[in-house]
Coordinates of all heavy atoms in Angstrom, one line a residue:
A1143 N 165.1 55.6 101.5 CA 166.3 56.5 101.7 C 167.5 56.1 100.8 O 168.4 56.9 100.5 CB 166.7 56.4 103.2
A1144 N 167.5 54.8 100.3 CA 168.7 54.4 99.5 C 168.5 54.8 98.0 O 169.4 54.6 97.2 CB 168.8 52.9 99.6
H1145 N 167.3 55.4 97.7 CA 167.1 55.7 96.3 C 166.5 57.2 96.2 O 165.3 57.4 95.9 CB 166.1 54.7 95.7 CG 166.6 53.4 95.5 ND1 167.5 53.1 94.5 CD2 166.5 52.2 96.3 CE1 167.9 51.8 94.6 NE2 167.3 51.3 95.7
P1146 N 167.4 58.1 96.4 CA 166.9 59.5 96.3 C 166.5 59.9 94.9 O 165.8 60.9 94.7 CB 168.1 60.3 96.8 CG 169.3 59.4 96.6 CD 168.8 58.1 96.8
E1147 N 167.0 59.1 93.9 CA 166.6 59.4 92.5 C 165.1 59.1 92.2 O 164.6 59.5 91.2 CB 167.5 58.6 91.5 CG 167.1 57.2 91.4 CD 167.7 56.3 92.5 OE1 168.3 56.8 93.5 OE2 167.5 55.0 92.5
R1148 N 164.4 58.5 93.2 CA 163.0 58.2 93.0 C 162.2 59.1 93.9 O 161.1 58.7 94.4 CB 162.8 56.7 93.4 CG 163.5 55.7 92.5 CD 163.3 54.3 93.0 NE 164.1 53.3 92.3 CZ 164.3 52.1 92.7 NH1 163.6 51.6 93.7 NH2 165.1 51.2 92.0
S1149 N 162.6 60.3 94.0 CA 161.9 61.2 94.9 C 160.5 61.6 94.4 O 159.8 62.3 95.2 CB 162.8 62.5 95.1 OG 163.0 63.1 93.9
Y1150 N 160.2 61.3 93.2 CA 158.9 61.7 92.6 C 157.9 60.6 92.5 O 156.9 60.7 91.9 CB 159.2 62.3 91.2 CG 159.9 61.3 90.3 CD1 159.2 60.4 89.5 CD2 161.3 61.2 90.3 CE1 159.8 59.5 88.7 CE2 161.9 60.3 89.4 CZ 161.2 59.4 88.7 OH 161.8 58.5 87.9
I1151 N 158.1 59.5 93.2 CA 157.2 58.3 93.2 C 156.7 58.1 94.7 O 157.6 57.8 95.5 CB 157.8 57.1 92.6 CG1 158.4 57.3 91.2 CG2 156.8 55.9 92.6 CD1 159.1 56.2 90.6
F1152 N 155.4 58.2 94.9 CA 154.9 58.2 96.3 C 154.2 56.9 96.6 O 154.7 56.1 97.5 CB 154.0 59.4 96.5 CG 154.6 60.7 96.5 CD1 154.9 61.4 95.3 CD2 155.0 61.3 97.7 CE1 155.5 62.6 95.3 CE2 155.6 62.6 97.7 CZ 155.9 63.2 96.5
W1153 N 153.1 56.6 96.0 CA 152.2 55.6 96.5 C 151.8 54.6 95.3 O 151.6 55.1 94.2 CB 150.9 56.1 97.1 CG 151.1 57.0 98.3 CD1 151.1 58.4 98.3 CD2 151.4 56.6 99.6 NE1 151.4 58.9 99.5 CE2 151.5 57.8 100.4 CE3 151.5 55.4 100.2 CZ2 151.8 57.8 101.7 CZ3 151.8 55.3 101.6 CH2 151.9 56.5 102.3
T1154 N 151.6 53.4 95.7 CA 151.0 52.4 94.8 C 149.9 51.7 95.6 O 150.1 51.3 96.8 CB 152.0 51.3 94.3 OG1 153.1 52.0 93.7 CG2 151.4 50.5 93.2
Y1155 N 148.8 51.5 94.9 CA 147.6 50.9 95.6 C 147.3 49.5 95.0 O 147.6 49.2 93.9 CB 146.4 51.8 95.4 CG 146.5 53.1 96.1 CD1 145.9 54.2 95.4 CD2 147.1 53.3 97.3 CE1 145.9 55.5 96.0 CE2 147.2 54.6 97.8 CZ 146.6 55.7 97.2 OH 146.6 56.9 97.8
T1156 N 146.5 48.8 95.8 CA 145.8 47.6 95.2 C 144.6 48.0 94.4 O 144.1 49.1 94.6 CB 145.4 46.6 96.3 OG1 144.5 47.3 97.2 CG2 146.6 46.1 97.1
L1157 N 144.1 47.1 93.6 CA 142.9 47.4 92.9 C 141.7 47.6 93.8 O 140.9 48.5 93.6 CB 142.5 46.2 91.9 CG 141.3 46.4 91.0 CD1 141.5 47.6 90.1 CD2 141.1 45.1 90.2
E1158 N 141.7 46.9 94.9 CA 140.6 47.1 95.9 C 140.6 48.5 96.5 O 139.6 49.1 96.8 CB 140.6 46.1 97.0 CG 139.6 46.2 98.1 CD 138.2 46.1 97.6 OE1 138.0 45.5 96.5 OE2 137.2 46.6 98.2
T1159 N 141.8 49.1 96.7 CA 141.9 50.4 97.2 C 141.3 51.4 96.2 O 140.5 52.3 96.5 CB 143.4 50.8 97.5 OG1 143.9 49.9 98.4 CG2 143.5 52.2 98.0
Y1160 N 141.6 51.2 94.9 CA 141.0 52.1 93.9 C 139.5 51.9 93.8 O 138.8 52.9 93.6 CB 141.6 51.8 92.5 CG 143.0 52.5 92.3 CD1 144.2 51.8 92.2 CD2 143.0 53.9 92.1 CE1 145.4 52.4 92.0 CE2 144.2 54.5 91.9 CZ 145.4 53.8 91.8 OH 146.5 54.5 91.6
R1161 N 139.1 50.7 94.0 CA 137.6 50.4 93.9 C 136.9 51.2 95.0 O 135.9 51.8 94.8 CB 137.4 48.9 94.1 CG 136.0 48.5 93.8 CD 135.8 47.0 94.1 NE 136.7 46.2 93.4 CZ 136.7 45.8 92.2 NH1 135.7 46.2 91.4 NH2 137.6 45.0 91.7
R1162 N 137.5 51.2 96.2 CA 136.9 52.0 97.3 C 137.0 53.5 97.2 O 136.0 54.2 97.5 CB 137.5 51.5 98.6 CG 137.3 50.1 98.9 CD 137.6 49.7 100.4 NE 137.4 48.3 100.7 CZ 137.3 47.8 101.9 NH1 137.5 48.6 102.9 NH2 137.2 46.5 102.0
I1163 N 138.1 54.0 96.7 CA 138.2 55.4 96.5 C 137.2 55.9 95.4 O 136.5 56.9 95.6 CB 139.7 55.7 96.0 CG1 140.7 55.4 97.0 CG2 139.7 57.2 95.6 CD1 142.1 55.5 96.5
L1164 N 137.1 55.1 94.3 CA 136.2 55.5 93.3 C 134.7 55.4 93.7 O 133.9 56.2 93.4 CB 136.4 54.6 92.0 CG 137.8 54.9 91.3 CD1 138.2 53.7 90.4 CD2 137.6 56.2 90.5
A1165 N 134.4 54.4 94.5 CA 133.1 54.2 95.1 C 132.7 55.4 95.9 O 131.5 55.9 95.9 CB 132.9 53.0 95.8
I1166 N 133.6 55.9 96.7 CA 133.4 57.1 97.5 C 133.0 58.3 96.6 O 132.2 59.2 97.0 CB 134.6 57.5 98.4 CG1 134.8 56.4 99.5 CG2 134.6 58.9 98.9 CD1 136.1 56.5 100.2
C1167 N 133.6 58.3 95.4 CA 133.3 59.4 94.5 C 132.1 59.1 93.5 O 131.9 59.9 92.5 CB 134.6 59.7 93.6 SG 136.0 60.2 94.6
D1168 N 131.4 58.1 93.8 CA 130.2 57.7 93.0 C 130.6 57.1 91.7 O 129.9 57.3 90.7 CB 129.3 58.8 92.9 CG 127.8 58.4 92.5 OD1 127.4 57.3 92.9 OD2 127.2 59.1 91.8
F1169 N 131.7 56.3 91.6 CA 132.1 55.6 90.4 C 132.3 54.1 90.8 O 132.6 53.8 91.9 CB 133.4 56.2 89.9 CG 133.3 57.5 89.1 CD1 133.2 58.7 89.8 CD2 133.2 57.5 87.7 CE1 133.0 59.9 89.1 CE2 133.1 58.6 87.0 CZ 133.0 59.8 87.7
E1170 N 132.1 53.3 89.8 CA 132.3 51.9 89.9 C 133.2 51.4 88.8 O 133.1 51.9 87.7 CB 131.1 51.0 90.0 CG 130.3 51.0 88.7 CD 129.0 50.1 88.8 OE1 128.7 49.7 89.9 OE2 128.4 49.9 87.7
I1171 N 134.1 50.5 89.1 CA 135.1 50.0 88.1 C 134.3 49.1 87.1 O 133.6 48.2 87.4 CB 136.2 49.2 88.8 CG1 137.1 50.1 89.6 CG2 137.0 48.5 87.7 CD1 138.2 49.4 90.3
E1172 N 134.5 49.5 85.8 CA 133.9 48.8 84.7 C 134.7 47.7 84.1 O 134.3 46.6 83.9 CB 133.5 49.9 83.7 CG 132.6 49.4 82.6 CD 132.1 50.6 81.8 OE1 132.9 51.5 81.5 OE2 130.9 50.6 81.3
T1173 N 136.0 48.1 83.8 CA 137.0 47.1 83.2 C 138.3 47.4 83.8 O 138.7 48.5 84.3 CB 137.1 47.3 81.7 OG1 137.5 48.6 81.4 CG2 135.7 47.0 81.0
V1174 N 139.1 46.3 83.8 CA 140.5 46.4 84.2 C 141.4 45.7 83.2 O 141.0 44.5 82.8 CB 140.7 45.7 85.6 CG1 142.2 45.8 86.0 CG2 139.9 46.4 86.7
R1175 N 142.4 46.3 82.8 CA 143.3 45.7 81.7 C 144.8 45.8 82.2 O 145.2 46.9 82.5 CB 143.1 46.4 80.4 CG 144.0 45.8 79.3 CD 143.9 46.7 78.0 NE 144.8 46.1 77.0 CZ 144.4 45.3 76.0 NH1 143.1 45.0 75.9 NH2 145.2 44.9 75.1
D1176 N 145.5 44.6 82.2 CA 146.9 44.6 82.5 C 147.7 44.4 81.2 O 147.3 43.6 80.4 CB 147.2 43.5 83.5 CG 146.6 43.6 84.8 OD1 146.6 44.8 85.3 OD2 146.0 42.6 85.4
D1177 N 148.7 45.2 81.0 CA 149.5 45.1 79.8 C 150.9 45.6 80.1 O 151.2 46.1 81.2 CB 148.8 45.9 78.7 CG 148.9 45.2 77.4 OD1 149.9 44.6 77.1 OD2 147.9 45.3 76.6
T1178 N 151.7 45.6 79.1 CA 153.1 46.1 79.1 C 153.3 47.2 78.0 O 152.7 47.0 76.9 CB 154.2 45.0 79.0 OG1 154.0 44.3 77.8 CG2 154.1 44.1 80.2
Y1179 N 154.1 48.2 78.3 CA 154.4 49.2 77.4 C 155.8 49.6 77.3 O 156.6 49.4 78.3 CB 153.6 50.5 77.8 CG 152.1 50.2 77.8 CD1 151.4 49.8 79.0 CD2 151.3 50.4 76.6 CE1 150.1 49.5 79.0 CE2 149.9 50.1 76.7 CZ 149.3 49.7 77.8 OH 148.0 49.4 77.9
R1180 N 156.3 50.1 76.2 CA 157.7 50.3 76.0 C 158.1 51.7 76.7 O 157.5 52.7 76.5 CB 158.0 50.4 74.5 CG 157.9 49.1 73.7 CD 158.3 49.3 72.3 NE 159.7 49.4 72.1 CZ 160.4 50.4 71.5 NH1 159.7 51.4 71.0 NH2 161.7 50.4 71.4
A1181 N 159.1 51.6 77.5 CA 159.7 52.7 78.2 C 161.2 52.7 78.1 O 161.8 51.6 78.1 CB 159.3 52.7 79.7
F1182 N 161.8 53.9 78.0 CA 163.2 54.0 77.9 C 163.8 54.1 79.3 O 163.4 54.8 80.2 CB 163.6 55.2 77.1 CG 165.1 55.3 76.9 CD1 165.7 54.6 75.8 CD2 165.9 56.1 77.7 CE1 167.0 54.7 75.6 CE2 167.3 56.2 77.5 CZ 167.8 55.5 76.4
S1183 N 164.9 53.3 79.5 CA 165.7 53.4 80.7 C 167.2 53.2 80.4 O 167.5 52.2 79.7 CB 165.2 52.2 81.7 OG 166.1 52.1 82.8
P1184 N 168.0 54.0 80.9 CA 169.5 53.9 80.7 C 170.0 52.6 81.3 O 171.1 52.1 80.9 CB 170.1 55.1 81.4 CG 169.0 55.5 82.4 CD 167.7 55.2 81.8
L1185 N 169.2 51.9 82.2 CA 169.6 50.7 82.8 C 169.2 49.4 82.0 O 169.7 48.3 82.3 CB 169.1 50.6 84.2 CG 169.4 51.7 85.2 CD1 168.8 51.4 86.5 CD2 171.0 51.8 85.3
A1186 N 168.4 49.7 81.0 CA 167.9 48.5 80.2 C 169.0 48.1 79.2 O 169.9 48.9 78.8 CB 166.7 48.9 79.4
V1187 N 169.0 46.8 78.9 CA 170.0 46.3 78.0 C 169.7 46.7 76.5 O 168.6 47.2 76.2 CB 170.1 44.7 78.1 CG1 170.5 44.3 79.5 CG2 168.7 44.1 77.8

């Protein structure tokens, strides 16, 4: 409620949640890669 500007962001899951959702759909996780990417933010220095 303190951040109405984030009205378009709903849910974040653990990897295990994704694993189970995908398994229900007959998929299995093959690879996982963590990385960082450049994004613009007016709050960034």
Side-chain angles (χ1 to χ4, degrees):
H1145 292 283
E1147 75 280 2
R1148 300 178 188 168
S1149 61
Y1150 56 92
I1151 304 175
F1152 290 83
W1153 300 101
T1154 308
Y1155 297 144
T1156 59
L1157 183 62
E1158 178 61 23
T1159 302
Y1160 277 109
R1161 191 182 308 279
R1162 295 193 182 196
I1163 296 168
L1164 289 161
I1166 289 169
C1167 299
D1168 200 31
F1169 281 80
E1170 66 179 10
I1171 292 179
E1172 191 172 35
T1173 63
V1174 178
R1175 179 187 179 96
D1176 296 317
D1177 220 322
T1178 58
Y1179 300 91
R1180 294 182 73 234
F1182 185 82
S1183 169
L1185 301 180
V1187 296

